Amino acid sequence: MKNSLRLDKCVLLICLLIVQISWSQTVFGKWKTIDDRNGITKAIVEVYEENGLLQAKVLKVVEKGKENALCIKCKGELKDKPVNGMQIMFNFKKNNKGEYRGNKLFDPEQAMTFRGRVWLDPKNTNRLKVRGYLAFLYRTQTWHRLVEE
């Protein structure tokens, strides 16, 4: 009887740990951005929460030859500013589907701002889907969770 209770407690504990691990996957963290056209890893981006809203900034450009890229196509205060450290997502709100949506997804390479949508890939929560909309056209990139050792 005692062994049966102990086994039941172990099974329950393991189930609780599995549930906690699956619930702990979140859009927040560090991601490797992958160009959807050529497969090149472009940058490390941090997606974070501030005032209950999703924000994102470029931590480091990692594409060969562009490590110290400047926003040369930008206008105004961003003109010729470093892409490293630049905020690229502003005030995205979570909806009831677990997606985040916002009106300011900035691409420093093109110096363009898009409406955006962000969600975890349901088949692999270590992949983040980032979609930018321009009118009725859209483009989706898949970013990969950065696993730091």
Side-chain angles (χ1 to χ4, degrees), residues 43-110:
I44 305 300
V45 170
E46 182 179 19
V47 177
Y48 59 98
E49 186 176 358
E50 187 174 272
N51 299 322
L53 300 171
L54 179 144
Q55 318 290 333
K57 66 181 172 185
V58 177
L59 292 179
K60 182 179 181 183
V61 175
V62 295
E63 184 177 1
K64 291 214 182 279
K66 297 186 179 182
E67 295 89 346
N68 296 307
L70 302 176
C71 197
I72 56 175
K73 292 183 179 180
C74 291
K75 296 182 180 174
E77 65 185 40
L78 293 179
K79 178 76 174 153
D80 296 325
K81 295 291 186 205
V83 175
N84 288 331
M86 188 174 284
Q87 188 169 353
I88 59 169
M89 286 186 213
F90 300 80
N91 303 324
F92 279 43
K93 294 179 185 174
K94 189 173 185 179
N95 65 20
N96 59 0
K97 296 178 186 176
E99 303 169 335
Y100 289 82
R101 292 181 178 252
N103 291 322
K104 194 169 182 186
L105 170 60
F106 183 66
D107 177 354
E109 198 167 33
Q110 300 301 317

Side-chain angles (χ1 to χ4, degrees), residues 108-119:
E109 198 167 33
Q110 300 301 317
M112 294 179 69
T113 301
F114 304 91
R115 288 182 300 114
R117 179 176 149 210
V118 176
W119 70 98

Side-chain angles (χ1 to χ4, degrees), residues 113-128:
T113 301
F114 304 91
R115 288 182 300 114
R117 179 176 149 210
V118 176
W119 70 98
L120 285 176
D121 183 337
K123 294 178 184 172
N124 184 344
T125 56
N126 285 318
R127 293 198 176 143
L128 186 69

Side-chain angles (χ1 to χ4, degrees), residues 19-34:
V19 168
Q20 183 174 358
I21 289 168
S22 66
W23 281 349
S24 68
Q25 292 292 29
T26 173
V27 299
F28 301 111
K30 294 178 184 173
W31 300 88
K32 289 188 294 184
T33 67
I34 311 293

